[in-house]
């Protein structure tokens, strides 16, 4: 069973089918990641630390793939700013949780050395 998350809407959206009060997103799959890439890029912060910077076009692509199929595709245009922020955070949270799970037990490479991977910090 694919993990899902529900994003309650601050401002419900009225559609022909009724009033939408929440958006359900499925967790992205490995194929989604391989085709769309990470939803952020790593940049150097003011103190030379690495911080993540969201990539809006990639986040939008994940939204379109992961939103409940029963939601009309035009819903994205009707989301208010607070709800857009909630949806963006929900998508990024999937990746933060997945990165923690993927890299909590470092795999060893063929050389026997641990493979390094960036840690998702959830910065947006």
């Amino acid at each position: 069973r694919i993990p899902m998350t529900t994003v309650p809407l601050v401002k419900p959206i009225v559609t022909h089918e009724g009033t939408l009060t929440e958006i359900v997103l499925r967790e992205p799959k490995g194929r989604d990641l391989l085709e769309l890439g990470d939803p952020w890029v790593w940049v150097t912060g003011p103190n030379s630390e690495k911080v993540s910077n969201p990539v809006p076009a990639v986040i939008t692509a994940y939204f379109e793939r992961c939103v409940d199929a029963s939601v009309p595709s035009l819903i994205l245009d009707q989301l208010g700013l607070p709800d857009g922020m909630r949806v963006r955070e929900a998508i990024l949270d999937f990746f933060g949780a997945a990165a923690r799970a993927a890299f909590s037990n470092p795999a060893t490479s063929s050389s026997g050395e641990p493979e390094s991977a960036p840690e998702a910090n959830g910065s947006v």
Side-chain angles (χ1 to χ4, degrees):
R1 188 162 144 100
I2 298 173
M4 309 287 270
T5 192
T6 300
V7 180
L9 297 179
V10 172
K11 183 180 176 188
I13 298 171
V14 178
T15 68
H16 293 295
E17 293 81 27
T19 302
L20 187 65
T21 59
E22 61 188 25
I23 298 222
V24 177
L25 298 167
R26 69 160 171 83
E27 179 181 76
K29 298 176 184 177
R31 180 181 188 91
D32 299 325
L33 175 64
L34 294 173
E35 291 178 357
L36 300 175
D38 289 325
W40 54 63
V41 294
W42 294 100
V43 297
T44 303
N47 298 321
S48 298
E49 75 279 12
K50 293 288 184 185
V51 295
S52 61
N53 190 25
V55 180
V58 176
I59 294 170
T60 300
Y62 277 108
F63 174 86
E64 290 170 349
R65 282 200 186 189
C66 298
V67 70
D68 184 348
S70 68
V71 173
S73 60
L74 298 176
I75 242 23
L76 189 57
D77 291 334
Q78 297 177 42
L79 284 177
L81 182 59
D83 292 320
M85 294 172 87
R86 285 180 169 199
V87 166
R88 177 184 67 188
E89 286 306 307
I91 291 168
L92 293 175
D93 285 350
F94 279 129
F95 285 87
R100 287 187 296 279
F103 303 114
S104 63
N105 295 321
T108 54
S109 65
S110 59
S111 67
E113 294 296 316
E115 295 180 10
S116 62
E119 181 179 321
N121 67 3
S123 297
V124 290

